[in-house]
């Protein structure tokens, strides 16, 4: 049976409690100023501490985009761990935004080899790119605001299955996602970019995961989730441009669930 969303919540971790190495990685001067500006919405220190990401782990990040978390994770894991970015599958039919983000990420990795030379790249997506890491090799698989895209593409189950295969027994699949109102339909989720917690739990359970707990680290009670252009109405996208810009800036980025699922240990 699926757990009831919202019951197994943990308090956000205080910054002073986070390990020194993680605090240093988040505070590192190489991070892009525009990325650092979003820390107040994305809470990377508290989020990665909640996910239990340690510097000696093998960590796969699904669809890292322009490398917001790459700037933190790749240097953090460089000496003792392993960082794998499972990016977009690109061809002539790929959306323009994926091509642009991929170029930004690759340029970032090439420009600073002292930080990113040990980062590994794989791909994730249809028709047949589902091996994101060697089977049973990863301690953590992380996804930040991607589930709605996989639902829209009708391949979310394949992604959850790929994460399950890549993880070691006892490894965690950790998800941050725009949170829809309970009872939202699948079509509403695809259109708005907001996903119900129930849907994420369902996908995880079908892949074989067990739910651990969630956190309200990335919650935003100001988010009413009823905008003309869905979640993209809010920053950072601001799809309506200058229309009601100050209103949406005052709301901030979306309300997000922060969840952990475990691959059961072998019996």
């Amino acid at each position: 049976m699926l757990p009831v969303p919202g019951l197994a919540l943990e308090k956000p971790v205080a910054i002073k409690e986070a390990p020194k190495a993680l605090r240093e990685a988040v505070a590192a001067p190489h991070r892009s100023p525009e990325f650092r500006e979003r820390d107040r919405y994305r809470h990377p220190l508290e989020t990665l501490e909640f996910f239990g990401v340690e510097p000696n782990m093998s960590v796969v990040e699904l669809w890292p985009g322009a490398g917001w978390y790459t700037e933190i994770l790749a240097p953090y894991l460089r000496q003792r761990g392993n960082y794998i970015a499972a990016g977009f599958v690109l061809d002539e039919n790929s959306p323009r935004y994926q091509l642009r983000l991929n170029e930004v990420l690759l340029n970032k990795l090439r420009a600073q080899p002292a930080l990113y030379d040990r980062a590994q790249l794989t791909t994730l997506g249809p028709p047949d790119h589902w091996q994101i890491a060697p089977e049973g090799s990863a301690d953590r698989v992380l996804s930040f605001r991607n589930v709605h895209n996989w639902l829209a593409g009708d391949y979310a189950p394949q992604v959850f299955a790929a994460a399950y295969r890549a993880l070691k027994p006892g490894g965690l699949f950790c998800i941050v996602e725009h949170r829809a109102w309970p009872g939202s339909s699948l079509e509403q989720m695809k259109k708005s970019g907001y996903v119900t917690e129930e849907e994420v739990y369902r996908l995880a359970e079908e892949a074989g995961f067990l739910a651990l707990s969630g956190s309200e680290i990335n919650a935003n009670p100001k988010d009413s989730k009823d905008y003309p252009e869905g979640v993209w109405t809010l920053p950072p996208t601001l799809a309506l441009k200058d229309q009601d810009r100050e209103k949406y800036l005052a709301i901030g980025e979306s309300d997000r669930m922060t969840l952990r699922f475990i691959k059961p240990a072998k019996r």
Side-chain angles (χ1 to χ4, degrees), residues 229-245:
E229 297 296 329
V231 72
W232 302 280
T233 307
L234 296 177
T237 305
L238 293 169
L240 297 181
K241 307 295 184 185
D242 291 332
Q243 181 181 337
D244 294 323
R245 182 183 183 89

Side-chain angles (χ1 to χ4, degrees), residues 51-62:
F51 289 160
V53 178
E54 299 179 2
N56 62 343
M57 287 182 169
S58 179
V59 177
V60 183
E61 183 185 359
L62 306 183

Side-chain angles (χ1 to χ4, degrees), residues 36-188:
R36 191 188 299 274
E37 175 64 22
R38 296 181 67 191
D39 284 3
R40 56 184 168 144
Y41 301 120
R42 304 194 71 176
H43 312 103
L45 183 60
E46 297 90 338
T47 299
L48 293 175
E49 172 68 1
F50 177 67
F51 289 160
V53 178
E54 299 179 2
N56 62 343
M57 287 182 169
S58 179
V59 177
V60 183
E61 183 185 359
L62 306 183
W63 282 18
W68 199 95
Y69 266 101
T70 304
E71 289 190 351
I72 299 170
L73 289 168
Y76 177 63
L77 299 165
R78 183 175 179 271
Q79 292 296 330
R80 300 167 54 201
N82 185 35
Y83 173 74
I84 299 174
F88 306 118
V89 177
L90 300 177
D91 57 31
E92 64 275 7
N93 299 316
S94 298
R96 186 174 300 177
Y97 84 90
Q98 292 187 358
L99 296 169
R100 175 180 57 82
L101 291 176
N102 186 69
E103 182 178 6
V104 171
L105 178 62
L106 291 179
N107 288 340
K108 182 191 306 291
L109 299 181
R110 293 165 180 158
Q112 295 182 282
L115 297 172
Y116 305 121
D117 61 337
R118 297 180 185 175
Q120 300 179 48
L121 301 177
T122 59
T123 52
L124 170 70
D128 56 6
H129 294 260
W130 306 116
Q131 185 173 349
I132 56 177
E135 185 169 347
S137 66
D139 297 286
R140 299 288 185 272
V141 175
L142 311 180
S143 170
F144 301 99
R145 300 159 28 257
N146 289 311
V147 179
H148 60 284
N149 291 308
W150 304 329
L151 286 174
D154 295 322
Y155 50 83
Q158 291 94 315
V159 174
F160 277 68
Y164 189 91
R165 285 193 300 272
L167 283 164
K168 301 173 181 177
L172 303 187
F173 188 20
C174 304
I175 296 173
V176 177
E177 179 56 72
H178 312 296
R179 178 164 46 194
W181 295 117
S184 300
S185 69
L186 181 58
E187 286 309 309
Q188 287 173 321

